[in-house]
Amino acid sequence: MGQKLGFSSVSSPFDDLPDDCIANIISLTSPRDACVAASVSKTFKSTSEFNSVWEKFLPPEYSSFILGSQVFTLKKELYLALCNDPVLIEDGQKIRGWMKTRILSPRTHYSAYVVYKTRSGCHGFRDLPIQVGIGLVGQKATKRFICFDESADRIKRWGRRELMKSKERQDGWIEAEIGDFFNELGSEEIELSIIDITSPYWKRGLIIQGIEFRPVKG
């Protein structure tokens, strides 16, 4: 006999929390986690749609990305629209961001990875070293170089630049380490940057999913 799928009726200690509290907890995760949380219960499904949740996943300057003819009732709709139709940031030459370290575990050594993929017809990135940096605000950031579209059919001369190797993940995205840092007390701010300092030419076909922070093993 067929079975109907639905939300579990098992009670959860989270059910007694105010909706705003649950929404705040979800906003400290990730867009993927928010979508997974929506399947936990009816309460989680409704709170995971709150604008206060998805606004945390949007860049600070997101309002400048909205055309005059576009209307988004929900911030989640805006987030998904930007994912489906990416925009250039600072004329495509620079990506820069900041993050509070309080959302990370204190006294933990972290590595940061840029997660990306290239579209068919990717242009302007072939064998181009892109400078990446990460560090605590107010301190000297570590500068390295990555290549978003590295060819394997010829020998490249990178000079004295430290080129961080990329690798393809099981989910189809590609990742490259951009640096590491030690989160002492979780009361500081991290600054990261991805800057093209070598080529002024137009580029296209690069999709950056985001930056992942993972504790260093060992």
Side-chain angles (χ1 to χ4, degrees):
M1 296 177 63
Q3 293 182 342
K4 293 183 178 180
L5 298 178
F7 293 112
S8 172
S9 60
V10 177
S11 61
S12 166
F14 289 102
D15 291 339
D16 296 328
L17 294 176
D19 288 349
D20 289 344
C21 182
I22 296 176
N24 185 56
I25 293 173
I26 296 175
S27 72
L28 297 177
T29 61
S30 68
R32 180 184 298 176
D33 292 332
C35 292
V36 172
S39 65
V40 172
S41 68
K42 291 182 178 179
T43 300
F44 273 63
K45 179 175 176 56
S46 62
T47 53
S48 66
E49 301 284 333
F50 280 14
N51 283 336
S52 60
V53 172
W54 289 90
E55 189 163 21
K56 293 290 186 65
F57 302 145
L58 290 166
E61 66 278 15
Y62 72 85
S63 60
S64 64
F65 301 156
I66 305 174
L67 300 178
S69 59
Q70 293 178 306
V71 177
F72 297 95
T73 305
L74 299 176
K75 292 295 192 298
K76 181 180 180 180
E77 294 177 351
L78 172 58
Y79 178 89
L80 295 177
L82 291 175
C83 289
N84 293 328
D85 187 17
V87 297
L88 290 175
I89 300 177
E90 296 193 30
D91 296 325
Q93 298 291 320
K94 181 193 303 181
I95 297 175
R96 190 184 299 274
W98 295 264
M99 186 191 76
K100 300 291 186 181
T101 59
R102 64 171 179 266
I103 68 174
L104 302 174
S105 299
R107 301 187 182 279
T108 303
H109 188 191
Y110 281 92
S111 286
Y113 300 81
V114 57
V115 182
Y116 68 95
K117 65 172 57 173
T118 56
R119 284 181 172 175
S120 176
C122 180
H123 174 76
F125 292 99
R126 176 53 59 94
D127 295 322
L128 177 68
I130 301 293
Q131 180 180 282
V132 295
I134 187 168
L136 298 174
V137 173
Q139 299 183 14
K140 185 177 180 180
T142 301
K143 301 293 184 181
R144 296 176 178 174
F145 288 86
I146 62 176
C147 182
F148 288 119
D149 187 18
E150 183 179 0
S151 64
D153 57 353
R154 65 187 179 89
I155 299 176
K156 296 168 287 299
R157 298 182 181 278
W158 298 103
R160 300 176 62 182
R161 293 169 178 164
E162 182 182 0
L163 182 67
M164 307 303 294
K165 292 294 183 181
S166 301
K167 66 177 182 180
E168 186 171 357
R169 311 191 323 178
Q170 293 183 350
D171 60 5
W173 292 86
I174 304 170
E175 68 177 27
E177 184 179 355
I178 60 176
D180 61 286
F181 63 94
F182 185 75
N183 185 31
E184 180 65 37
L185 300 176
S187 58
E188 291 125 333
E189 191 173 32
I190 286 290
E191 179 180 6
L192 58 92
S193 60
I194 303 174
I195 306 173
D196 174 12
I197 62 173
T198 61
S199 173
Y201 303 111
W202 283 98
K203 304 167 184 64
R204 66 172 181 267
L206 175 67
I207 305 172
I208 295 182
Q209 184 193 60
I211 307 295
E212 289 189 2
F213 296 90
R214 300 200 291 267
V216 177
K217 298 180 180 180

